[in-house]
Amino acid sequence: GRTPAGPPQADFQEQFYFLMTARDRVSDAHEAVLAIREVRSQTEDLVKRLEKHASKQTVADSAKSINDRLKIIEEEIIQVKIKAGQDALNYPIKLNNKIAGLTGVVSSADTRPTKQARDVFDELSGRLEGHLVAFRTIRDTDLPAFNALVKSLEVQAVILKPVERPK
């Protein structure tokens, strides 16, 4: 007897292309989140170092403005509240998990991605892109302005605290 033919090569190619595209979007999401966390960490460290500086409040306010907007973007991309396995049941999944979840669905069948899977991916990818554009705007506009502000204040790179000697 004849064995039934498997799915055509074109189906596999479409599935592969879809999965690679989705993987790249998840990577875009994670790279943005890592960059956001790095900006927050560095700006917070800088503000701490300016403890006694006359312009500390100006720098702190500028850093807070940037970080508050970055936090909103991060929270749309990734679920930041999940700390333990059980937490995943208590908080809604965000864009990175939704896109990653879609790859599981598409890779589970030896067939081309359904129109529904492609439509859902396009919608999620578009929403992610909106957040990535907002992030890039902050990175390319607000961050250089923040750096210029700090530079204009001539903040010292190394600040030694005076030694307090017992009286």
Side-chain angles (χ1 to χ4, degrees), residues 70-81 94:
L70 288 175
K71 190 173 190 303
I72 291 167
I73 295 167
E74 179 185 10
E75 288 174 356
E76 286 300 320
I77 294 174
I78 198 165
Q79 180 49 266
V80 296
K81 294 184 175 86
K94 297 293 183 161

Side-chain angles (χ1 to χ4, degrees), residues 89-113:
L89 303 174
N90 301 322
Y91 301 110
I93 64 169
K94 297 293 183 161
L95 287 169
N96 70 318
N97 287 111
K98 289 179 180 178
I99 294 171
L102 204 51
T103 64
V105 172
V106 169
S107 64
S108 68
D110 286 339
T111 180
R112 69 181 54 209

Side-chain angles (χ1 to χ4, degrees), residues 7-25 102-114 117-118 121:
Q9 187 60 31
D11 284 6
F12 282 123
Q13 284 173 332
E14 256 190 75
Q15 183 188 48
F16 178 78
Y17 176 75
F18 180 93
L19 294 173
M20 291 299 99
T21 305
R23 182 207 61 193
D24 289 347
R25 290 311 271 165
L102 204 51
T103 64
V105 172
V106 169
S107 64
S108 68
D110 286 339
T111 180
R112 69 181 54 209
T114 62
R118 285 196 300 270
F121 174 76

Side-chain angles (χ1 to χ4, degrees), residues 73-166:
I73 295 167
E74 179 185 10
E75 288 174 356
E76 286 300 320
I77 294 174
I78 198 165
Q79 180 49 266
V80 296
K81 294 184 175 86
I82 294 178
K83 301 284 186 262
Q86 199 62 21
D87 285 350
L89 303 174
N90 301 322
Y91 301 110
I93 64 169
K94 297 293 183 161
L95 287 169
N96 70 318
N97 287 111
K98 289 179 180 178
I99 294 171
L102 204 51
T103 64
V105 172
V106 169
S107 64
S108 68
D110 286 339
T111 180
R112 69 181 54 209
T114 62
K115 180 184 182 320
Q116 183 187 13
R118 285 196 300 270
D119 289 348
V120 170
F121 174 76
D122 289 345
E123 197 254 327
L124 294 173
S125 184
R127 282 174 44 203
L128 174 63
E129 189 57 29
H131 297 304
L132 294 177
V133 166
F135 163 68
R136 288 184 209 117
T137 301
I138 293 169
R139 180 194 67 195
D140 299 342
T141 308
D142 299 75
L143 214 48
F146 176 82
N147 286 334
L149 166 73
V150 173
K151 192 171 185 201
S152 75
L153 300 173
E154 296 179 356
V155 172
Q156 294 170 316
V158 178
I159 303 166
L160 284 176
K161 291 181 181 172
V163 178
E164 306 248 339
R165 290 196 176 157

